[in-house]
Amino acid sequence: MRLRRRIRTFTHRDDAEDHLQTALANYYERSQGQVTHPEAYIARSAFNLHLNDLKKAASGTLSTTGDQEQILELRDPAPSQEEAYAASQRMARFHEGCRQLPERTRQAFLLNRVEKMKYREIAVALGISESSVEKHIAKALVFLSSWMDQ
């Protein structure tokens, strides 16, 4: 019971008993004399089993049963073809919206959002006031927001 409580405190999960049983089975499978501190060995084994479960849950896992491998869950981090196509369509729509902006507004917007320039730097580069830069960028944001929603 003490080991179970100890394991449950550092795993904070309901499967602490499963980990404890597996760790105990692993301990009893070892030959006598190999483990000098049985309680520490069992606790550490149970904790490692818990960590392995977390890793399996975080990424796709393969579970081996005998010689066969079964795919339990395999998450592909890449977007699906549909998602990639939808993203390329949104990007094309965004580019078309940018082309619809007046020249000075487009320049100010792209310098700020793409080139990461500050309003002061854009004002100097375009020969306009910072207030005008703010207005151009606000105008671009309002237009592009409604453009993308259409």
Side-chain angles (χ1 to χ4, degrees), residues 22-133:
T22 305
L24 281 168
N26 291 341
Y27 170 73
Y28 287 120
E29 287 175 359
R30 293 193 158 285
S31 61
Q32 290 285 354
Q34 276 188 319
V35 178
T36 55
H37 302 287
E39 189 173 323
Y41 173 83
I42 294 168
R44 188 62 195 176
S45 294
F47 183 67
N48 288 342
L49 290 166
H50 167 70
L51 292 178
N52 290 343
D53 281 355
L54 291 177
K55 288 177 188 175
K56 286 178 186 176
S59 65
T61 60
L62 289 178
S63 173
T64 58
T65 52
D67 293 334
Q68 291 182 334
E69 290 186 350
Q70 292 180 330
I71 297 177
L72 297 177
E73 183 178 345
L74 186 58
R75 295 183 198 144
D76 187 0
S80 69
Q81 290 180 348
E82 293 84 10
E83 292 168 332
Y85 177 75
S88 70
Q89 292 299 310
R90 282 191 306 274
M91 187 57 81
R93 179 132 179 94
F94 174 77
H95 284 289
E96 181 58 33
C98 284
R99 284 192 286 276
Q100 300 295 319
L101 291 170
E103 181 64 27
R104 183 71 80 181
T105 302
R106 180 174 53 248
Q107 287 175 334
F109 178 74
L110 293 177
L111 287 173
N112 178 253
R113 297 302 165 119
V114 176
E115 301 297 326
K116 305 293 184 199
M117 291 175 67
K118 296 181 179 173
Y119 288 2
R120 186 177 333 108
E121 298 168 332
I122 297 168
V124 170
L126 297 180
I128 59 176
S129 69
E130 277 187 63
S131 175
S132 293
V133 171

